[in-house]
Amino acid sequence: MTGTARLRILILDDEPVMLAVLERMLANLGFEDVVAFERGASALEWLRSSGGAVDLVLLDLNMPEMDGVEFLRRLVEIRYEGGVILASGEDETIQQAAVNLVRAHRIVALGHLHKPVQPDALAALIGRWQPGVAPDSRRATRSYSAEDVERAIGNRELVNHYQPKVSVATGALVGVETLVRWLHPGDGLVFPDRFIGVAEEHGHIDALTEVVIGQAIDQARAWRQSGLPLQVSVNVSMENLMTLVFPDRLERLAAGANVPASDLILEVTESRLMSNIVTALDVLTRLRLKRFRLSIDDFGTGHSSLAQLRDIPFDELKVDRGFVHGAVNSEKKRAICEASLSLARQLGIQVVAEGVENAEDWRYLREHGCDLAQGYFIGRPMPGSDLPRWLKTWDARVARGL
Ligand code: C2E
Ligand code: MG
Ligand code: MG
């Protein structure tokens, strides 16, 4: 056993027999530092008095008095920082919902175990534990002010990364999605979820989008000149669509760089309800008239809905990664993913699957005739200058059959 054997594990299960079985199983796997409790209240008391120094909690969902869901809530209150493994006899849908709940609480969920628990399944989940690695959202706890973001835009600290979008049928590189990053002088690379919202709320999103699009257009021209004519997608926020002159500005930028409007795709995500539908429709319709392309991002989540699809002239639909990765193993994801593919086909628009993380995801999309794919399996977002090198490796993978 490696470093994981030194883990301190807390087991909570109302059945004494179950506790004994799990303790023995853990001992056999080399885990000696184990504490066991039959009641949530006593486990919490112990956690509080010991300073919460536990790496993993093995948690039963069904318990009288305090059940597993309530216990999770209490763990958050005491700022528990370790991982959680769930164990229960509940069916797959409930277990998965509970895992999602753990993650929503920003606690590391290593997975769930079906009772009766098998030693190798237990060992596999514990093996996922990486000490000191909290989920992304917790690692970066620093939040940024509107002034910080404004300064970043002014100081040109925002850089674009580009993630490849390829044809599922042939593997050919078709385009890239532009994803902004902040090269923070002190904090290193900062991801967009930490600052886009701030920019939106404080009136800086137009300036931000202009910088991102400007850089993307320059990059598109450079690729074009080197013999790589690519579709370049850019994410725009709903707030951008509240600016009536946005289409005119964009047209000037593209024309100035000799980049055809039809090479640019604007990905629209609606994180909040459209406050002014008339303005948004005006802007979106004029963008189409100017031959820019429109994509509905994260389809199936938030307000990226059927009504949007009905009202706005989209050219592309991006199936959210929550329905793509792991679709093979989930009846629900499969149903939603396949319905989205079929919807796009019936509407005659291009469909892109996001979040293709492994060969299984890729094969599934091939079998279901998805047009384009994007995800870690194909390539991570990278600086524009890295794309030619990535393309060489990718072409070689495609030639070998991946
Ligand atoms: P999005 O447009 O849905 O972009 C896809 C996100 O998924 C990116 O996260 C990307 O790095 C990540 N991703 C790509 N492949 C995979 C995969 O296989 N598995 C998983 N788990 N994730 C994958 P990122 O770069 O952190 O961007 C997050 C969001 O921030 C974007 O979601 C987009 O909505 C927003 N965003 C990014 N750049 C901009 C921008 O310039 N303007 C605006 N308004 N929003 C932006
Ligand atoms: Mg996007
Ligand atoms: Mg998306």
Side-chain angles (χ1 to χ4, degrees):
M1 246 310 127
T2 53
T4 46
R6 285 193 298 274
L7 294 181
R8 173 177 275 188
I9 302 178
L10 182 150
I11 322 174
L12 176 58
D13 197 308
D14 62 304
E15 289 171 62
V17 179
M18 195 63 207
L19 281 182
V21 168
L22 285 171
E23 262 183 296
R24 190 156 0 98
M25 221 177 254
L26 286 169
N28 288 340
L29 292 168
F31 297 101
E32 305 286 353
D33 197 357
V34 176
V35 283
F37 296 92
E38 285 172 37
R39 292 174 55 248
S42 6
L44 280 171
E45 210 177 285
W46 183 84
L47 275 170
R48 276 200 201 98
S49 58
S50 65
V54 160
D55 302 293
L56 278 183
V57 169
L58 212 63
L59 177 64
D60 180 24
L61 282 177
N62 284 321
M63 292 179 290
E65 297 172 43
M66 189 189 297
D67 65 26
V69 172
E70 188 180 348
F71 184 75
L72 282 170
R73 219 184 304 130
R74 298 296 178 83
L75 279 182
V76 175
E77 282 166 15
I78 62 163
R79 303 188 178 278
Y80 173 66
E81 297 207 322
V84 168
I85 292 175
L86 300 174
S88 80
E90 297 296 338
D91 71 23
E92 177 70 24
T93 326
I94 296 180
Q95 294 226 358
Q96 193 54 52
V99 168
N100 291 343
L101 175 67
V102 179
R103 293 189 175 138
H105 279 312
R106 308 218 184 294
I107 289 180
V108 183
L110 301 176
H112 55 75
L113 293 164
H114 291 278
K115 287 183 178 178
V117 173
Q118 302 299 320
D120 41 346
L122 178 61
L125 287 191
I126 295 177
R128 291 186 186 171
W129 175 247
Q130 290 177 298
V133 179
D136 287 354
S137 40
R138 287 214 306 176
R139 208 180 314 146
T141 43
R142 173 148 159 47
S143 62
Y144 298 100
S145 70
E147 292 71 40
D148 292 334
V149 175
E150 191 180 11
R151 214 171 311 119
I153 299 170
N155 292 348
R156 301 228 144 245
E157 287 167 13
L158 300 184
V159 294
N160 289 351
H161 278 190
Y162 301 91
Q163 186 176 36
K165 238 166 90 177
V166 302
S167 153
V168 177
T170 67
L173 173 65
V174 174
V176 291
E177 175 176 2
T178 308
L179 295 157
V180 68
R181 271 94 182 88
W182 178 0
L183 258 180
H184 192 285
D187 301 346
L189 204 63
V190 180
F191 286 82
D193 56 324
R194 319 242 1 115
F195 59 89
I196 292 289
V198 180
E200 284 176 345
E201 273 163 43
H202 295 89
H204 300 309
I205 194 70
D206 279 343
L208 184 149
T209 305
E210 194 147 335
V211 169
V212 171
I213 293 187
Q215 293 176 356
I217 286 178
D218 288 345
Q219 182 63 70
R221 180 183 46 192
W223 280 326
R224 197 164 249 285
Q225 279 168 352
S226 69
L228 257 186
L230 293 176
Q231 286 179 358
V232 175
S233 299
V234 179
N235 292 285
V236 296
S237 120
M238 263 301 148
E239 315 296 316
N240 296 130
L241 306 178
M242 293 299 136
T243 310
L244 282 170
V245 292
F246 180 65
D248 308 284
R249 279 198 204 141
L250 191 59
E251 188 175 39
R252 265 201 302 279
L253 273 176
N258 259 327
V259 170
S262 57
D263 275 11
L264 289 177
I265 304 182
L266 302 174
E267 294 190 4
V268 184
T269 335
E270 205 194 353
S271 51
R272 58 187 87 175
L273 220 51
M274 247 192 273
S275 50
N276 187 339
I277 183 91
V278 180
T279 310
L281 271 177
D282 178 313
V283 168
L284 288 165
T285 309
R286 288 187 62 236
L287 284 167
R288 277 300 305 273
L289 288 170
K290 292 180 187 302
R291 300 291 174 257
F292 293 104
R293 297 204 236 182
L294 302 179
S295 173
I296 181 165
D297 204 356
D298 305 336
F299 182 69
T301 69
H303 303 283
S304 282
S305 64
L306 294 171
Q308 300 260 14
L309 214 44
R310 177 196 61 200
D311 297 335
I312 298 170
F314 286 111
D315 307 83
E316 180 185 90
L317 182 156
K318 295 190 84 165
V319 186
D320 189 74
R321 65 168 175 271
F323 308 125
V324 174
H325 173 54
V328 180
N329 305 312
S330 154
E331 215 171 295
K332 283 194 187 172
K333 289 186 190 178
R334 253 192 339 263
I336 298 169
C337 192
E338 284 162 33
S340 305
L341 293 180
S342 138
L343 188 58
R345 216 170 287 133
Q346 287 184 54
L347 294 171
I349 63 181
Q350 167 168 293
V351 59
V352 185
E354 302 181 321
V356 180
E357 291 193 4
N358 55 37
E360 211 173 38
D361 297 339
W362 173 264
R363 265 196 308 274
Y364 170 77
L365 295 168
R366 267 190 92 120
E367 279 160 18
H368 289 83
C370 181
D371 300 325
L372 304 178
Q374 200 182 321
Y376 297 161
F377 176 71
I378 301 151
R380 292 194 174 244
M382 62 190 98
S385 52
D386 287 357
L387 197 77
R389 200 165 358 126
W390 166 84
L391 184 55
K392 248 193 202 154
T393 327
W394 172 251
D395 281 344
R397 279 175 66 194
V398 173
R400 278 199 314 268
L402 299 170

